[in-house]
Amino acid sequence: MKAVLDNEIIFNEESFELEIKSFQREVVQRSAAGLDGQVSIDLGLRGRKLVQKGELRAKNQAELQGIIDDINGLIDGNEYILKSSDGRVFENLVIDNFQAGSFVFGGTQASCKYQITYTQQVS
């Protein structure tokens, strides 16, 4: 099974590096004159970051640019689902950033390194 993003973008490598950070808790602290200490107001869990790194491959430069354009089109604030090749599913992902490296041409294919940064929203 190959990894897919939103059942459309197919990552053609068998594996990619996925760094999963922990969820962040938002807390507001307030103090008042004449009182010792602070009051902490727990605002609950917020999102967590996921960073996906790998290599995109295609038959030619035009096809590779098409894949890059498709991923760039998903940086729209909507939530997506990433299904990895090992069966893990990450839902409620918003794409924050996508970076593609220089194109490399070899044999009958074109490739480039990439990095995608997601924020996984708490549902």
Side-chain angles (χ1 to χ4, degrees):
M1 176 175 119
K2 293 189 179 194
V4 295
L5 178 61
D6 201 38
N7 291 324
E8 293 178 20
I9 306 297
I10 298 174
F11 299 102
N12 46 13
E13 65 217 33
E14 290 300 317
S15 66
F16 51 80
E17 182 182 331
L18 187 61
E19 179 182 352
I20 304 168
K21 304 196 178 187
S22 63
F23 284 101
Q24 299 296 310
R25 180 165 295 282
E26 187 74 27
V27 177
V28 174
Q29 296 186 346
R30 299 285 186 233
S31 57
L35 295 176
D36 291 335
Q38 293 181 334
V39 173
S40 291
I41 302 168
D42 184 355
L43 300 176
L45 287 177
R46 298 296 186 239
R48 69 175 170 180
K49 297 288 183 184
L50 285 83
V51 179
Q52 176 184 348
K53 296 178 184 177
E55 186 174 11
L56 296 173
R57 293 188 195 105
K59 294 177 186 173
N60 54 46
Q61 181 178 356
E63 185 178 311
L64 183 58
Q65 187 62 52
I67 295 169
I68 290 170
D69 292 343
D70 289 345
I71 295 171
N72 277 324
L74 297 177
I75 304 175
D76 57 6
N78 292 324
E79 294 181 350
Y80 297 100
I81 298 171
L82 174 66
K83 297 176 184 175
S84 66
S85 57
D86 61 4
R88 295 182 295 172
V89 177
F90 300 93
E91 297 180 340
N92 306 321
L93 296 178
V94 176
I95 299 176
D96 298 328
N97 188 19
F98 171 64
Q99 297 173 339
S102 300
F103 287 11
V104 177
F105 303 98
T108 60
Q109 70 176 5
S111 65
C112 70
K113 301 275 187 196
Y114 73 91
Q115 177 176 311
I116 303 174
T117 304
Y118 306 96
T119 298
Q120 185 176 26
Q121 305 295 322
V122 177
S123 54

